[in-house]
C-alpha cells in the first residue's frame, strides 16, 4: 500500500541528512579550521548530499534546486541555499579532510544506532569457516578531464583519480580508503591501505598490489594474505602438497622465489595453488599465491573469489552516486565530491538496513531521489513499498495474437499469425456464424 503524504512530517532529504549527529559537522569544522562566515559547513555538507541524491551535473544545478526548495532546506537544521560563486569558493578552499573525517566517524556512529548494521554477517561457504576479519583490497579509477584537471594527469592525454578501498567482507563496511591521483601504481598504495591490518587477520587483493617487500612485512605482522601470481614470476618447487581432492585444483605446491630481486625481497617459502575457476560460464586457469600453509587449496581459491565483493561494492557506488560529472575541477573540489558521495552511499545503505529493503540498491536510490521533498516517514515508507515480488517480463505480441478458442499460439506459423491453417479457418467461420 503506497504511503500517503502527510503535513507536518519531515521530507525524505531532511531525514537522510539528519542521520548525521547535529554536533559532528561543527566539531569537525573547528578541527579543520573551516571558515563559516558566509556559508556554514552544515549547509556545505547538505548541498553536496543533495547533489549526490539528485545526480546534479553542475553547480548551477545544485544551487537552483536548493533555492527553489529553500523553505524545505532551512528546515534541515537551518541550512541555506548557496550562491554559485560561494559554493565554488568553498569547494576550492576548504580542507576536504573534513569530509573524509565525517565519513569515517559516521561509519563508527551508525552501528551504535543500529548494532546489527555493523555486526558480523554469517555467510555460507568460505566465510563461515573464519572468525578472523577478512579484508578485500582493490581500487577503482574515476575518469577526469585532462585539459581541465592538470593536477590529475597521469598520461599525456588522460587524467584520473583513484579510490583505493579496504573493505571488511564480514560487515561489508570500508575499513580504510585513499583518494588520490591515478599516477601512482596500486602497489605503492598497498602499504597505506593495509596499514591497519592486525595479527591473525586475512587480506585478499589482486596482483596489481603484489609487492614482495610489502608481502614480507604482512607476513612478519602475522597477517595471512592471498593474491594472484604474476605471469612472469620466477620460482622453483620445493614440495608438492595434497590438501584436497577437489577436481578443480590442478596444483598445490610450496615454492621458493628464484628471481634476483624477488628472492631478496621475500626470502621465505610461499604456497602456490593453480585451479580451474569459472568466469562468465567458462573454466579459466588461475594461479594464486599465499603465505598460509595450513588451508586447503580450495579454501585459497574460494578466499580469492570472495574478493569479488569489493568489485560489487564499487559497482554499486558508481551506479548510484555521482562520480561522473564533477561540479569543480580543483583537486579539493573533486575530493569533496568523492568523500560526500561515499557518505551519501553510506546513509542510503543504512536506510536500506533499517527498512530491510528487499529490492535492488539502485531502485532504492531512485525512489529516494523521486520523493526527495515529499513528507513521508522514510523507514515505514520503505518497509511498505512495493506491490508484488518477483521479476516479470513483457510477453511478445505473437504470443497474444489469437482469439480465445482458436488454439494456442504454437498453432500459428511464427511471424504470420493472420494466415490460419484450414482447421482454424473453419472454427473461425463457425464462431462467426454462431455469433450472427
Amino acid at each position: 500500500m503506497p504511503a500517503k503524504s502527510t503535513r507536518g512530517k519531515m521530507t525524505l532529504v531532511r531525514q537522510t541528512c539528519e542521520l548525521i549527529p547535529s554536533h559532528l559537522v561543527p566539531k569537525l569544522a573547528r578541527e579543520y579550521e573551516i571558515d563559516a562566515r558566509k556559508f556554514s559547513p552544515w549547509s556545505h555538507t547538505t548541498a553536496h548530499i543533495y547533489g549526490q541524491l539528485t545526480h546534479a551535473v553542475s553547480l548551477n544545478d545544485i544551487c537552483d534546486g536548493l533555492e527553489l526548495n529553500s523553505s524545505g532546506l532551512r528546515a534541515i537544521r537551518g541550512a541555506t541555499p548557496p550562491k554559485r560563486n560561494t559554493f565554488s569558493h568553498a569547494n576550492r578552499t576548504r580542507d576536504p579532510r573534513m569530509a573524509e573525517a565525517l565519513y569515517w566517524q559516521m561509519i563508527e556512529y551508525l552501528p551504535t544506532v543500529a548494532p546489527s548494521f555493523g555486526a558480523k554477517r554469517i555467510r555460507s561457504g568460505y566465510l563461515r569457516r573464519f572468525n578472523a576479519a577478512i579484508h578485500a583490497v582493490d581500487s577503482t579509477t574515476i575518469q577526469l578531464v585532462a585539459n581541465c584537471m592538470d593536477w590529475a594527469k597521469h598520461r599525456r592525454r588522460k587524467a584520473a583519480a583513484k579510490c583505493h578501498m579496504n573493505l571488511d567482507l564480514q560487515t561489508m563496511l570500508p575499513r580504510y580508503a585513499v583518494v588520490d591521483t591515478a599516477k601512482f601504481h596500486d602497489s605503492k598504495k598497498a602499504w597505506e591501505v593495509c596499514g591497519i591490518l592486525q595479527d591473525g587477520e586475512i587480506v585478499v587483493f589482486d596482483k596489481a598490489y603484489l609487492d614482495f617487500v610489502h608481502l614480507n612485512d604482512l607476513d612478519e605482522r602475522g597477517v595471512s594474505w592471498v593474491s594472484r601470481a604474476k605471469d612472469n614470476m620466477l620460482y622453483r618447487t620445493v614440495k608438492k602438497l595434497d590438501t584436497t581432492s577437489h577436481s578443480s585444483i590442478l596444483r598445490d605446491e610450496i615454492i621458493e622465489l628464484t628471481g634476483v630481486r624477488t628472492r631478496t625481497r621475500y626470502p621465505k617459502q610461499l604456497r602456490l595453488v593453480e585451479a580451474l575457476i569459472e568466469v562468465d560460464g567458462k573454466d579459466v586457469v588461475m594461479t594464486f599465491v599465499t603465505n598460509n600453509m595450513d588451508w586447503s587449496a580450495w579454501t585459497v581459491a574460494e578466499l580469492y573469489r570472495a574478493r569479488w565483493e569489493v568489485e560489487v561494492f564499487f559497482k554499486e557506488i558508481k551506479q548510484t552516486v555521482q562520480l561522473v560529472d564533477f561540479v569543480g575541477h580543483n583537486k579539493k573540489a573533486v575530493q569533496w565530491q568523492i568523500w560526500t558521495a561515499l557518505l551519501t552511499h553510506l546513509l542510503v545503505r543504512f536506510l536500506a538496513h533499517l527498512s530491510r529493503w528487499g529490492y535492488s540498491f539502485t531502485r532504492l536510490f531512485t525512489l529516494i531521489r523521486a520523493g526527495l521533498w515529499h513528507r513521508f516517514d522514510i523507514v515505514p515508507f520503505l518497509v511498505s513499498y512495493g506491490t508484488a515480488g518477483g521479476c516479470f517480463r513483457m510477453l511478445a505480441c505473437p504470443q497474444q495474437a489469437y482469439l480465445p478458442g482458436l488454439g494456442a499460439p504454437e498453432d500459428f506459423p511464427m511471424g504470420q499469425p493472420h494466415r490460419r491453417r484450414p482447421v482454424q479457418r473453419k472454427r473461425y467461420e463457425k464462431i462467426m456464424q454462431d455469433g450472427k
Side-chain angles (χ1 to χ4, degrees), residues 13 26 34 39 95 115 118 142 237 257 280 287-288 290 311 313 316 319 366 400 432:
V13 64
I34 302 297
F39 187 37
D95 194 343
I142 304 166
T237 301
L257 299 175
D280 296 331
T287 306
F288 311 104
T290 178
E311 301 282 1
F313 184 84
E316 185 177 279
Q319 285 181 340
T366 305
Q400 299 175 345
M432 293 300 292

PDB file of all heavy atoms in Angstrom, residues 13 26 34 39 95 115 118 142 237 257 280 287-288 290 311 313 316 319 366 400 432:
ATOM      1  N   VAL A  13      14.710  14.107   2.208  1.00  0.00           N
ATOM      2  CA  VAL A  13      16.076  14.623   2.231  1.00  0.00           C
ATOM      3  C   VAL A  13      16.456  15.082   3.634  1.00  0.00           C
ATOM      4  O   VAL A  13      17.603  14.906   4.080  1.00  0.00           O
ATOM      5  CB  VAL A  13      16.247  15.763   1.198  1.00  0.00           C
ATOM      6  CG1 VAL A  13      15.384  16.968   1.544  1.00  0.00           C
ATOM      7  CG2 VAL A  13      17.701  16.174   1.100  1.00  0.00           C
ATOM      8  N   PRO A  26      29.842  20.766  12.985  1.00  0.00           N
ATOM      9  CA  PRO A  26      30.518  21.930  13.600  1.00  0.00           C
ATOM     10  C   PRO A  26      31.820  21.568  14.309  1.00  0.00           C
ATOM     11  O   PRO A  26      32.791  22.337  14.272  1.00  0.00           O
ATOM     12  CB  PRO A  26      29.467  22.454  14.586  1.00  0.00           C
ATOM     13  CG  PRO A  26      28.169  21.990  14.051  1.00  0.00           C
ATOM     14  CD  PRO A  26      28.448  20.652  13.438  1.00  0.00           C
ATOM     15  N   ILE A  34      37.631  25.507   9.292  1.00  0.00           N
ATOM     16  CA  ILE A  34      36.797  25.878   8.156  1.00  0.00           C
ATOM     17  C   ILE A  34      36.180  27.249   8.403  1.00  0.00           C
ATOM     18  O   ILE A  34      35.567  27.482   9.444  1.00  0.00           O
ATOM     19  CB  ILE A  34      35.690  24.835   7.927  1.00  0.00           C
ATOM     20  CG1 ILE A  34      36.292  23.449   7.682  1.00  0.00           C
ATOM     21  CG2 ILE A  34      34.788  25.243   6.764  1.00  0.00           C
ATOM     22  CD1 ILE A  34      37.148  23.335   6.456  1.00  0.00           C
ATOM     23  N   PHE A  39      29.046  30.865   4.501  1.00  0.00           N
ATOM     24  CA  PHE A  39      28.436  29.610   4.083  1.00  0.00           C
ATOM     25  C   PHE A  39      28.805  28.553   5.122  1.00  0.00           C
ATOM     26  O   PHE A  39      29.948  28.104   5.190  1.00  0.00           O
ATOM     27  CB  PHE A  39      28.962  29.231   2.696  1.00  0.00           C
ATOM     28  CG  PHE A  39      28.288  28.044   2.064  1.00  0.00           C
ATOM     29  CD1 PHE A  39      26.924  27.804   2.212  1.00  0.00           C
ATOM     30  CD2 PHE A  39      29.025  27.161   1.282  1.00  0.00           C
ATOM     31  CE1 PHE A  39      26.323  26.713   1.614  1.00  0.00           C
ATOM     32  CE2 PHE A  39      28.422  26.075   0.673  1.00  0.00           C
ATOM     33  CZ  PHE A  39      27.071  25.850   0.844  1.00  0.00           C
ATOM     34  N   ASP A  95      39.215  22.496   3.412  1.00  0.00           N
ATOM     35  CA  ASP A  95      40.001  21.276   3.525  1.00  0.00           C
ATOM     36  C   ASP A  95      39.099  20.045   3.353  1.00  0.00           C
ATOM     37  O   ASP A  95      38.188  19.818   4.157  1.00  0.00           O
ATOM     38  CB  ASP A  95      40.673  21.231   4.902  1.00  0.00           C
ATOM     39  CG  ASP A  95      41.763  20.168   4.980  1.00  0.00           C
ATOM     40  OD1 ASP A  95      41.780  19.273   4.114  1.00  0.00           O
ATOM     41  OD2 ASP A  95      42.594  20.245   5.903  1.00  0.00           O
ATOM     42  N   PRO A 115      23.006  -1.652  16.091  1.00  0.00           N
ATOM     43  CA  PRO A 115      24.175  -2.548  16.209  1.00  0.00           C
ATOM     44  C   PRO A 115      24.246  -3.613  15.124  1.00  0.00           C
ATOM     45  O   PRO A 115      25.340  -4.043  14.759  1.00  0.00           O
ATOM     46  CB  PRO A 115      23.987  -3.173  17.599  1.00  0.00           C
ATOM     47  CG  PRO A 115      23.170  -2.176  18.356  1.00  0.00           C
ATOM     48  CD  PRO A 115      22.250  -1.560  17.342  1.00  0.00           C
ATOM     49  N   GLY A 118      26.567  -2.955  11.749  1.00  0.00           N
ATOM     50  CA  GLY A 118      28.000  -3.239  11.659  1.00  0.00           C
ATOM     51  C   GLY A 118      28.374  -4.588  12.211  1.00  0.00           C
ATOM     52  O   GLY A 118      29.561  -4.874  12.400  1.00  0.00           O
ATOM     53  N   ILE A 142      38.507   6.768 -11.403  1.00  0.00           N
ATOM     54  CA  ILE A 142      37.483   7.771 -11.680  1.00  0.00           C
ATOM     55  C   ILE A 142      38.027   8.687 -12.766  1.00  0.00           C
ATOM     56  O   ILE A 142      38.969   9.463 -12.534  1.00  0.00           O
ATOM     57  CB  ILE A 142      37.140   8.573 -10.404  1.00  0.00           C
ATOM     58  CG1 ILE A 142      36.708   7.615  -9.289  1.00  0.00           C
ATOM     59  CG2 ILE A 142      36.068   9.609 -10.680  1.00  0.00           C
ATOM     60  CD1 ILE A 142      36.669   8.260  -7.914  1.00  0.00           C
ATOM     61  N   THR A 237      59.876 -25.293  -7.374  1.00  0.00           N
ATOM     62  CA  THR A 237      59.007 -26.069  -6.498  1.00  0.00           C
ATOM     63  C   THR A 237      59.837 -26.786  -5.441  1.00  0.00           C
ATOM     64  O   THR A 237      60.819 -27.481  -5.765  1.00  0.00           O
ATOM     65  CB  THR A 237      58.205 -27.097  -7.305  1.00  0.00           C
ATOM     66  OG1 THR A 237      57.424 -26.409  -8.290  1.00  0.00           O
ATOM     67  CG2 THR A 237      57.277 -27.892  -6.402  1.00  0.00           C
ATOM     68  N   LEU A 257      61.046 -18.330  -4.350  1.00  0.00           N
ATOM     69  CA  LEU A 257      61.301 -17.398  -5.435  1.00  0.00           C
ATOM     70  C   LEU A 257      62.756 -17.488  -5.864  1.00  0.00           C
ATOM     71  O   LEU A 257      63.657 -17.618  -5.022  1.00  0.00           O
ATOM     72  CB  LEU A 257      60.969 -15.970  -4.996  1.00  0.00           C
ATOM     73  CG  LEU A 257      59.504 -15.731  -4.581  1.00  0.00           C
ATOM     74  CD1 LEU A 257      59.324 -14.313  -4.053  1.00  0.00           C
ATOM     75  CD2 LEU A 257      58.551 -15.981  -5.738  1.00  0.00           C
ATOM     76  N   ASP A 280      32.435 -16.191 -16.383  1.00  0.00           N
ATOM     77  CA  ASP A 280      31.491 -15.990 -17.485  1.00  0.00           C
ATOM     78  C   ASP A 280      31.113 -17.311 -18.159  1.00  0.00           C
ATOM     79  O   ASP A 280      31.052 -17.411 -19.395  1.00  0.00           O
ATOM     80  CB  ASP A 280      32.070 -15.020 -18.531  1.00  0.00           C
ATOM     81  CG  ASP A 280      32.289 -13.633 -17.969  1.00  0.00           C
ATOM     82  OD1 ASP A 280      31.547 -13.247 -17.048  1.00  0.00           O
ATOM     83  OD2 ASP A 280      33.207 -12.936 -18.450  1.00  0.00           O
ATOM     84  N   THR A 287      46.235 -18.865 -11.117  1.00  0.00           N
ATOM     85  CA  THR A 287      47.296 -19.246 -10.193  1.00  0.00           C
ATOM     86  C   THR A 287      47.328 -18.273  -9.030  1.00  0.00           C
ATOM     87  O   THR A 287      47.399 -17.060  -9.237  1.00  0.00           O
ATOM     88  CB  THR A 287      48.658 -19.255 -10.905  1.00  0.00           C
ATOM     89  OG1 THR A 287      48.575 -20.089 -12.071  1.00  0.00           O
ATOM     90  CG2 THR A 287      49.743 -19.784  -9.991  1.00  0.00           C
ATOM     91  N   PHE A 288      47.264 -18.796  -7.817  1.00  0.00           N
ATOM     92  CA  PHE A 288      47.229 -17.981  -6.607  1.00  0.00           C
ATOM     93  C   PHE A 288      48.480 -18.240  -5.779  1.00  0.00           C
ATOM     94  O   PHE A 288      49.058 -19.330  -5.815  1.00  0.00           O
ATOM     95  CB  PHE A 288      45.996 -18.313  -5.756  1.00  0.00           C
ATOM     96  CG  PHE A 288      44.708 -18.325  -6.526  1.00  0.00           C
ATOM     97  CD1 PHE A 288      44.107 -19.518  -6.881  1.00  0.00           C
ATOM     98  CD2 PHE A 288      44.110 -17.136  -6.917  1.00  0.00           C
ATOM     99  CE1 PHE A 288      42.924 -19.532  -7.598  1.00  0.00           C
ATOM    100  CE2 PHE A 288      42.928 -17.141  -7.634  1.00  0.00           C
ATOM    101  CZ  PHE A 288      42.339 -18.340  -7.978  1.00  0.00           C
ATOM    102  N   THR A 290      50.000 -17.521  -1.657  1.00  0.00           N
ATOM    103  CA  THR A 290      49.622 -17.156  -0.301  1.00  0.00           C
ATOM    104  C   THR A 290      50.761 -17.522   0.645  1.00  0.00           C
ATOM    105  O   THR A 290      51.639 -18.335   0.301  1.00  0.00           O
ATOM    106  CB  THR A 290      48.329 -17.883   0.125  1.00  0.00           C
ATOM    107  OG1 THR A 290      48.008 -17.545   1.472  1.00  0.00           O
ATOM    108  CG2 THR A 290      48.480 -19.384   0.017  1.00  0.00           C
ATOM    109  N   GLU A 311      34.449  -5.553  -5.806  1.00  0.00           N
ATOM    110  CA  GLU A 311      34.062  -5.108  -7.145  1.00  0.00           C
ATOM    111  C   GLU A 311      32.577  -4.767  -7.176  1.00  0.00           C
ATOM    112  O   GLU A 311      32.164  -3.784  -7.801  1.00  0.00           O
ATOM    113  CB  GLU A 311      34.368  -6.208  -8.169  1.00  0.00           C
ATOM    114  CG  GLU A 311      35.828  -6.630  -8.242  1.00  0.00           C
ATOM    115  CD  GLU A 311      36.685  -5.642  -9.015  1.00  0.00           C
ATOM    116  OE1 GLU A 311      36.138  -4.622  -9.476  1.00  0.00           O
ATOM    117  OE2 GLU A 311      37.894  -5.888  -9.137  1.00  0.00           O
ATOM    118  N   PHE A 313      30.873  -3.768  -4.624  1.00  0.00           N
ATOM    119  CA  PHE A 313      30.764  -2.536  -3.842  1.00  0.00           C
ATOM    120  C   PHE A 313      31.047  -1.317  -4.717  1.00  0.00           C
ATOM    121  O   PHE A 313      30.318  -0.332  -4.698  1.00  0.00           O
ATOM    122  CB  PHE A 313      31.737  -2.608  -2.666  1.00  0.00           C
ATOM    123  CG  PHE A 313      31.654  -1.436  -1.718  1.00  0.00           C
ATOM    124  CD1 PHE A 313      30.706  -1.420  -0.706  1.00  0.00           C
ATOM    125  CD2 PHE A 313      32.522  -0.368  -1.831  1.00  0.00           C
ATOM    126  CE1 PHE A 313      30.629  -0.358   0.176  1.00  0.00           C
ATOM    127  CE2 PHE A 313      32.455   0.700  -0.959  1.00  0.00           C
ATOM    128  CZ  PHE A 313      31.501   0.710   0.048  1.00  0.00           C
ATOM    129  N   GLU A 316      28.204  -0.775  -7.174  1.00  0.00           N
ATOM    130  CA  GLU A 316      27.041  -0.192  -6.514  1.00  0.00           C
ATOM    131  C   GLU A 316      27.208   1.311  -6.331  1.00  0.00           C
ATOM    132  O   GLU A 316      26.265   2.085  -6.532  1.00  0.00           O
ATOM    133  CB  GLU A 316      26.852  -0.882  -5.160  1.00  0.00           C
ATOM    134  CG  GLU A 316      25.608  -0.465  -4.406  1.00  0.00           C
ATOM    135  CD  GLU A 316      25.461  -1.248  -3.113  1.00  0.00           C
ATOM    136  OE1 GLU A 316      24.981  -2.391  -3.168  1.00  0.00           O
ATOM    137  OE2 GLU A 316      25.833  -0.716  -2.052  1.00  0.00           O
ATOM    138  N   GLN A 319      26.957   3.145  -9.790  1.00  0.00           N
ATOM    139  CA  GLN A 319      25.624   3.135 -10.371  1.00  0.00           C
ATOM    140  C   GLN A 319      24.664   4.077  -9.649  1.00  0.00           C
ATOM    141  O   GLN A 319      23.572   4.337 -10.154  1.00  0.00           O
ATOM    142  CB  GLN A 319      25.045   1.719 -10.346  1.00  0.00           C
ATOM    143  CG  GLN A 319      25.636   0.792 -11.383  1.00  0.00           C
ATOM    144  CD  GLN A 319      25.021  -0.593 -11.330  1.00  0.00           C
ATOM    145  OE1 GLN A 319      24.428  -0.984 -10.328  1.00  0.00           O
ATOM    146  NE2 GLN A 319      25.163  -1.348 -12.398  1.00  0.00           N
ATOM    147  N   THR A 366      16.886   5.461  -6.508  1.00  0.00           N
ATOM    148  CA  THR A 366      15.979   6.150  -7.430  1.00  0.00           C
ATOM    149  C   THR A 366      14.698   6.577  -6.726  1.00  0.00           C
ATOM    150  O   THR A 366      14.173   7.669  -6.978  1.00  0.00           O
ATOM    151  CB  THR A 366      15.645   5.229  -8.610  1.00  0.00           C
ATOM    152  OG1 THR A 366      16.850   4.790  -9.227  1.00  0.00           O
ATOM    153  CG2 THR A 366      14.807   5.958  -9.645  1.00  0.00           C
ATOM    154  N   GLN A 400       0.291 -13.360 -28.180  1.00  0.00           N
ATOM    155  CA  GLN A 400      -1.009 -12.870 -27.777  1.00  0.00           C
ATOM    156  C   GLN A 400      -1.944 -12.660 -28.980  1.00  0.00           C
ATOM    157  O   GLN A 400      -3.086 -12.259 -28.806  1.00  0.00           O
ATOM    158  CB  GLN A 400      -0.858 -11.540 -27.023  1.00  0.00           C
ATOM    159  CG  GLN A 400      -0.026 -11.663 -25.740  1.00  0.00           C
ATOM    160  CD  GLN A 400       0.202 -10.315 -25.100  1.00  0.00           C
ATOM    161  OE1 GLN A 400      -0.002  -9.279 -25.723  1.00  0.00           O
ATOM    162  NE2 GLN A 400       0.620 -10.311 -23.852  1.00  0.00           N
ATOM    163  N   MET A 432     -18.102 -17.227 -36.093  1.00  0.00           N
ATOM    164  CA  MET A 432     -18.685 -16.021 -36.641  1.00  0.00           C
ATOM    165  C   MET A 432     -20.162 -16.249 -37.014  1.00  0.00           C
ATOM    166  O   MET A 432     -21.019 -15.370 -36.799  1.00  0.00           O
ATOM    167  CB  MET A 432     -17.896 -15.575 -37.866  1.00  0.00           C
ATOM    168  CG  MET A 432     -16.481 -15.117 -37.541  1.00  0.00           C
ATOM    169  SD  MET A 432     -16.434 -13.717 -36.400  1.00  0.00           S
ATOM    170  CE  MET A 432     -17.138 -12.442 -37.425  1.00  0.00           C
TER     171      MET A 432
END
